[in-house]
């Protein structure tokens, strides 16, 4: 496997190739990083970033130990601004996008995929498949454009069966909790818009040639990761199963407030980190520092992310 951004494995060294732009405030609004995985061309595209209160992630964690970790990583306890990294796979026949981004209606700092597509010279109509890790706003709402029409207008959509059932259940709006009610309302509206062009899958299925599903339930009831395989090479797209580059690695068993089922998500996170560190499978994390590409190694009782 070769990469133009950084090392995936200790023996692979390559050249950086990034396109980027800035807003008037100096923040990155798009970027593109290219990687070759066997016969697959893989690009990570910046959809911008989120701005979240620290308690949304850190509130339930042991605060004294948390402070040490955040200090070492220079992370604010009061506010976090995670990057949003979309993954694009091209093989000459298919153009597959993993997650759709935030679109225009979630946060002003996110929903920037259009700029990345412009740099790549890709029209949204060229996307043949959109594969969802889960249906939170920053992963789903980008299916609709400013005119409330489908942005990827020629695409087939794929989502885990359990995830679809949860978000389209009318009871979810009433049971998800006040802080996430808009998540449920927004998900239902958008999923129903794409229903006629959507296919469903379960755990451990080859959902497309070279793309296998890997259940990581907990962040949402049906969250999925995906192993991309080409020949003898693999790469794991982890979505939000591993949602940051600090606490999630050093203390993967800690409960994160961003997860809907914290205990289940922690178990899934530990299992996934164990798998990709043992097998030395490179990974792309949706909310890891752009471009989100790296590998995982064990570090004491936890793990370490190596960009």
């Amino acid at each position: 496997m070769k990469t133009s951004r950084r090392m995936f494995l200790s023996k692979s060294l390559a050249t950086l190739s990034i396109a980027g732009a800035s807003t008037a405030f100096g923040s990155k609004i798009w970027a593109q990083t290219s990687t070759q995985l066997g016969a697959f061309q893989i690009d990570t595209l910046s959809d911008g970033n989120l701005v979240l209160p620290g308690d949304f992630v850190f509130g339930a964690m042991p605060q004294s130990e948390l402070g040490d970790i955040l200090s070492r990583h220079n992370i604010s306890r009061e506010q976090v601004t995670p990057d949003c990294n979309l993954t694009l796979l091209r093989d000459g026949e298919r153009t597959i996008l993993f997650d759709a981004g935030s679109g225009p209606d979630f946060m002003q700092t996110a929903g920037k995929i259009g700029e990345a597509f412009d740099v790549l010279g890709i029209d949204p109509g060229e996307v043949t498949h959109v594969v969802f890790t889960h249906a939170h706003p920053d992963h789903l709402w980008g299916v609709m454009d400013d005119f409330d029409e489908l942005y990827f207008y020629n695409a087939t959509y794929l989502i885990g069966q359990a995830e679809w059932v949860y978000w389209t259940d009318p009871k979810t709006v009433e049971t998800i909790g006040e802080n996430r009610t808009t998540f449920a309302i927004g998900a239902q509206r958008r999923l129903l818009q794409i229903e006629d062009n959507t296919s469903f899958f379960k755990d451990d299925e080859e959902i497309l040639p070279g793309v296998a599903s890997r259940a990581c339930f907990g962040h949402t009831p049906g969250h999925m990761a995906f192993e991309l395989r080409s020949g003898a090479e693999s790469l794991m797209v982890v979505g939000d199963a591993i949602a940051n580059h600090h606490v999630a690695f050093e203390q993967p068993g800690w409960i994160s407030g961003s997860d809907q089922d914290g205990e289940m998500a922690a178990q899934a996170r530990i299992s996934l980190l164990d798998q990709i560190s043992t097998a030395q499978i490179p990974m792309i994390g949706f909310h890891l520092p752009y471009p989100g590409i790296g590998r995982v190694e064990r570090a004491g009782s936890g793990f370490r992310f190596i960009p």
Side-chain angles (χ1 to χ4, degrees):
M1 180 175 180
K2 301 175 182 178
T3 174
S4 61
R5 180 62 170 93
R6 297 183 184 181
M7 289 190 298
F8 270 165
L9 304 174
S10 58
K11 65 181 180 181
S12 63
L13 181 65
T15 304
L16 175 66
S17 175
I18 294 179
S22 298
T23 67
F25 301 102
S27 61
K28 181 175 60 188
I29 59 172
W30 55 256
Q32 170 259 330
T33 298
S34 297
T35 298
Q36 198 71 28
L37 179 75
F40 296 161
Q41 171 76 27
I42 308 290
D43 295 280
T44 56
L45 312 178
S46 174
D47 195 48
N49 67 275
L50 304 184
V51 179
L52 303 170
D55 272 347
F56 183 73
V57 179
F58 305 131
M61 296 179 180
Q63 296 301 299
S64 60
E65 296 176 69
L66 171 67
D68 291 339
I69 295 174
L70 298 186
S71 178
R72 280 191 278 103
H73 290 274
N74 196 28
I75 302 296
S76 168
R77 170 64 179 80
E78 303 306 314
Q79 186 181 83
V80 290
T81 57
D83 288 337
C84 299
N85 307 307
L86 303 177
T87 300
L88 188 74
L89 182 159
R90 289 178 286 177
D91 65 0
E93 297 182 4
R94 303 166 300 161
T95 298
I96 304 169
L97 183 66
F98 292 86
D99 291 323
S102 294
D105 298 328
F106 186 46
M107 289 188 181
Q108 291 185 347
T109 55
K112 309 300 183 182
I113 189 176
E115 287 89 339
F117 273 15
D118 286 345
V119 170
L120 281 175
I122 293 178
D123 186 276
E126 296 177 44
V127 175
T128 58
H129 302 83
V130 178
V131 179
F132 297 105
T133 59
H134 64 296
H136 276 168
D138 49 328
H139 298 255
L140 170 66
W141 287 17
V143 297
M144 308 300 293
D145 64 14
D146 290 340
F147 303 99
D148 211 27
E149 297 178 348
L150 290 179
Y151 187 60
F152 309 105
Y153 49 90
N154 288 324
T156 296
Y157 302 89
L158 297 93
I159 189 169
Q161 183 74 55
E163 189 75 355
W164 176 274
V165 169
Y166 175 75
W167 291 104
T168 56
D169 184 347
K171 296 179 182 178
T172 296
V173 175
E174 303 170 2
T175 59
I176 195 172
E178 183 178 354
N179 292 339
R180 299 176 190 258
T181 299
T182 56
F183 289 15
I185 294 171
Q188 285 187 14
R189 184 167 77 86
R190 289 164 177 82
L191 290 175
L192 292 177
Q193 288 278 354
I194 64 174
E195 183 173 15
D196 290 344
N197 296 320
T198 298
S199 298
F200 309 105
F201 57 86
K202 297 180 181 179
D203 181 30
D204 197 27
E205 290 187 15
E206 187 175 38
I207 63 172
L208 292 166
V211 180
S213 59
R214 204 274 196 195
C216 296
F217 299 165
H219 182 68
T220 62
H223 186 287
M224 291 283 184
F226 302 97
E227 185 174 354
L228 313 185
R229 304 167 181 164
S230 182
E233 298 179 299
S234 295
L235 181 149
M236 192 76 75
V237 176
V238 304
D240 284 7
I242 304 170
N244 59 65
H245 65 292
H246 37 84
V247 177
F249 287 87
E250 294 191 30
Q251 293 289 348
W254 283 2
I255 303 301
S256 172
S258 64
D259 296 326
Q260 290 182 228
D261 186 324
E263 292 186 2
M264 182 180 292
Q267 293 172 7
R269 186 161 49 247
I270 293 169
S271 175
L272 185 59
L273 286 167
D274 180 70
Q275 177 188 355
I276 60 181
S277 63
T278 299
Q280 281 296 283
I281 301 173
M283 60 171 284
I284 298 175
F286 191 90
H287 288 307
L288 301 187
Y290 177 80
I293 305 172
R295 59 185 179 87
V296 180
E297 65 180 23
R298 292 189 176 277
S301 61
F303 301 86
R304 181 185 296 117
F305 176 63
I306 309 297

